[in-house]
Amino acid sequence: MSVDPSAVAAVERFIASLREIRTRLLDDLFPIAGVAELQTAVRSLREHPREGATSSGIVYSVHGAGCRMTAPDGREVDVDMVADPELHQNIEAFDPWKIRWFLNEAAEDGFSNEEIVAACEHHVRQGLMREVVQGRWYALPEHPRGSARQ
C-alpha cells in the first residue's frame, strides 16, 4: 500500500505539535516529568487541579486514561497511558483517532483511519515514532515511559 504524502505531512504536524505542547506543559509544571506524574499530582496528591492552565498558556485536562493539552493557538493534542507489551509498563501513547481529532481541530480533516495508520507506519520505519500496539497505539520514541524530558 502506498502512503499518501499529505497524510505523512499531517502526522508530522501532529508529532511536532505533541512535542512542542507537551514540552511547554512539563516545563511549566516542573518537576512533573510526564503524564503519569501529572495524573498522580492531580488524583492522589491533589497538588494540581484536574483542569488548568500553565504560565505559558497551555491548557490541560487530565482525563480517565491520560491528558488533553491545548496550546494558546487552539492546537489540541491528547495522549493516553497505554500498556506497552515490550516494556511491561504504561507509557504515553496516541492512536489514529487522536491524530484525526488533532487534524479536525486544525481544519484539515478528510484522512481515513487507514491513511493515518499507513502514515504512522511510515514514521515508525523512519524512527519518528514507536509502534506500541500494531496498527493501534503509537508513541514518541524519546518519551517511552512518559517521563523522559529532552
Side-chain angles (χ1 to χ4, degrees):
M1 175 179 179
S2 67
V3 181
D4 179 346
S6 61
V8 169
V11 172
E12 287 172 5
R13 286 191 304 278
F14 172 82
I15 293 169
S17 291
L18 176 57
R19 281 192 179 116
E20 173 200 340
I21 295 166
R22 181 186 185 278
T23 297
R24 287 175 58 188
L25 173 75
L26 297 178
D27 285 349
D28 290 346
L29 297 178
F30 183 82
I32 292 173
V35 168
E37 288 181 30
L38 179 57
Q39 288 176 317
T40 299
V42 166
R43 295 178 181 152
S44 302
L45 302 175
R46 302 194 188 283
E47 296 174 340
H48 291 280
R50 182 171 296 280
E51 297 181 351
T54 69
S55 60
S56 69
I58 302 297
V59 174
Y60 70 89
S61 175
V62 173
H63 55 72
C67 183
R68 180 176 304 120
M69 300 160 270
T70 307
D73 64 9
R75 289 174 297 142
E76 185 176 285
V77 293
D78 194 345
V79 295
D80 286 347
M81 297 305 298
V82 174
D84 185 324
E86 189 175 302
L87 296 176
H88 305 290
Q89 61 187 260
N90 287 340
I91 64 163
E92 295 177 25
F94 46 89
D95 60 6
W97 185 88
K98 291 183 184 307
I99 296 170
R100 291 177 68 204
W101 175 264
F102 167 82
L103 296 172
N104 287 338
E105 292 296 306
E108 297 182 40
D109 58 345
F111 295 108
S112 70
N113 196 61
E114 293 76 19
E115 289 170 314
I116 295 298
V117 168
C120 287
E121 290 172 357
H122 169 82
H123 287 302
V124 168
R125 290 189 300 274
Q126 299 298 313
L128 297 173
M129 327 169 96
R130 290 182 56 238
E131 189 169 45
V132 179
V133 176
Q134 186 174 7
R136 173 92 172 107
W137 290 103
Y138 301 91
L140 298 178
E142 67 270 23
H143 303 295
R145 291 172 185 84
S147 62
R149 307 235 350 235
Q150 288 195 351

